[in-house]
Amino acid sequence: MKENRYDDDLFFEKYSQMERSKKGLEGAGEWQTLRPLMPDFKGKRVLDLGCGYGWHCIYAAQHGACRVKGIDLSEKMLERARREHAHPAVEYVRCAIEDVDEPDGSYDVVFSSLAFHYVEDYGQLVKRVCRMLDTGGVFLFSVEHPVFTAYGSQDWYYDADGSILHFPVDNYYYEGKRDAVFLGEKVVKYHRTLTTYVDTLLKNGFELTCLAEPKPPEDMLDLPGMKDEMRRPMMLILSARKV
Amino acid sequence: MKENRYDDDLFFEKYSQMERSKKGLEGAGEWQTLRPLMPDFKGKRVLDLGCGYGWHCIYAAQHGACRVKGIDLSEKMLERARREHAHPAVEYVRCAIEDVDEPDGSYDVVFSSLAFHYVEDYGQLVKRVCRMLDTGGVFLFSVEHPVFTAYGSQDWYYDADGSILHFPVDNYYYEGKRDAVFLGEKVVKYHRTLTTYVDTLLKNGFELTCLAEPKPPEDMLDLPGMKDEMRRPMMLILSARKV
């Protein structure tokens, strides 16, 4: 199912109030982990799957990418991307991640930030990305961590007084649809095991070059709720190379 | 700390009553996942770190390994290994995993089953394994899953009636010592993140060839408690090649 939650007015408004939406890359807790993993973009052809406001597209262009295509299903996202992150080398196109179809070997870098947990068929996606990448090309993406998606609600488990007890994991090996709550709204996400995320890459033409689980950077630990984020992993970043 | 719990009489007796201790590889829930990952042992020099009863050593020898060294800290384990799993190509040696020191490039396969969560310094271990392996050599090991080791007790979280609610995760990013309970006894284990397990390999001369999280095989799902094991990951298997 290709759900377009981000074109819902209320959801979009809430999303636009997040630190990452207002401050961009520097406002995203995972940026300090992700930035060193960004490939050399000089002269590269880049595809961003689920580009949102275009923060990463503009980053790639400003770091020398010769051509960047950002795709997203949300027209509201793309409007803002075109308005605020326009660049001669960047093109924003409305398209679902599942429907992307570009010529074989037409990209050097395929990037995606926190979007693949909305995609039902990860195996098909990996195969397609491999096909669209040139040999030696980089596939770098972040996704919600399997620990974070397994249970469903994505909320902590609390005691009677409302204090956090721990984070619940359940139904880990049952992959598929979860009714998650994000920004107080219901959103459909797809849970997959770590095995599926990593081994599908290894079995489909990729070599894994990095696995990282971003934790809150030291200088953000004093922000509200950030210390709790040392208690569970929320994101997984994988970097792979087409062999 | 090199803890030798397996030479404690009570602990050893309890361990010897486990299915995996009585039935060997076929009694271990992860064997159906692990077996296809076992390398071709023909003519190979094999080192087993934490060999226990020697089930995997004898498997390697029976599949053509020319020389197998199994090391373990527990004299009780080794006694039984020597008695029940003797083979002209297999040698059992008392040694802590942390103290193994063999010549550079002297092995083709380094194997370990569920032992590294007892080792405090994983980084040093990986470096040493890499050194002892020949180029192209295989490093295959299973370990307790970071989801399983993070909280500490390694027990489910129950409701007031004693029914399982979910599995708790906490303190994920705080690596180090945990006071775990195994077979009703206190055992010191070391929690590490998935990032540490995988990325340490990638940064120290290895290429990842497989990541697997064994789940209960279909034909074991009717055994007591096995269906619950679909709710959380307990083990992680990593296979890597020295490049």
Side-chain angles (χ1 to χ4, degrees), chain A residues 168-188:
Chain A
V169 166
D170 205 347
N171 296 315
Y172 185 81
Y173 288 109
Y174 300 99
E175 299 194 320
K177 208 173 146 177
R178 296 291 191 273
D179 292 312
V181 177
F182 180 41
L183 303 170
E185 304 290 317
K186 283 188 186 166
V187 188
V188 170

Side-chain angles (χ1 to χ4, degrees), chain A residues 121-132:
Chain A
D121 193 339
Y122 173 74
Q124 189 193 51
L125 175 66
V126 169
K127 284 186 182 77
R128 189 169 296 171
V129 168
C130 188
R131 188 179 59 65
M132 298 187 296

Side-chain angles (χ1 to χ4, degrees), chain B residues 99-148:
Chain B
D99 297 334
V100 170
D101 196 11
E102 303 271 328
D104 295 8
S106 56
Y107 287 95
D108 306 297
V109 178
V110 174
F111 174 85
S112 181
S113 171
L114 297 174
F116 292 168
H117 44 268
Y118 296 123
V119 172
E120 187 166 7
D121 193 340
Y122 173 74
Q124 191 193 49
L125 175 66
V126 169
K127 284 185 182 77
R128 189 169 296 170
V129 168
C130 188
R131 188 179 59 64
M132 296 186 297
L133 272 175
D134 214 350
T135 303
V138 169
F139 184 21
L140 171 63
F141 65 93
S142 62
V143 75
E144 286 186 355
H145 200 288
V147 166
F148 190 55

Side-chain angles (χ1 to χ4, degrees), chain B residues 156-174:
Chain B
W156 298 95
Y157 195 74
Y158 302 91
D159 67 13
D161 300 326
S163 297
I164 289 174
L165 279 175
H166 53 252
F167 193 76
V169 165
D170 204 348
N171 296 314
Y172 186 81
Y173 287 110
Y174 300 98

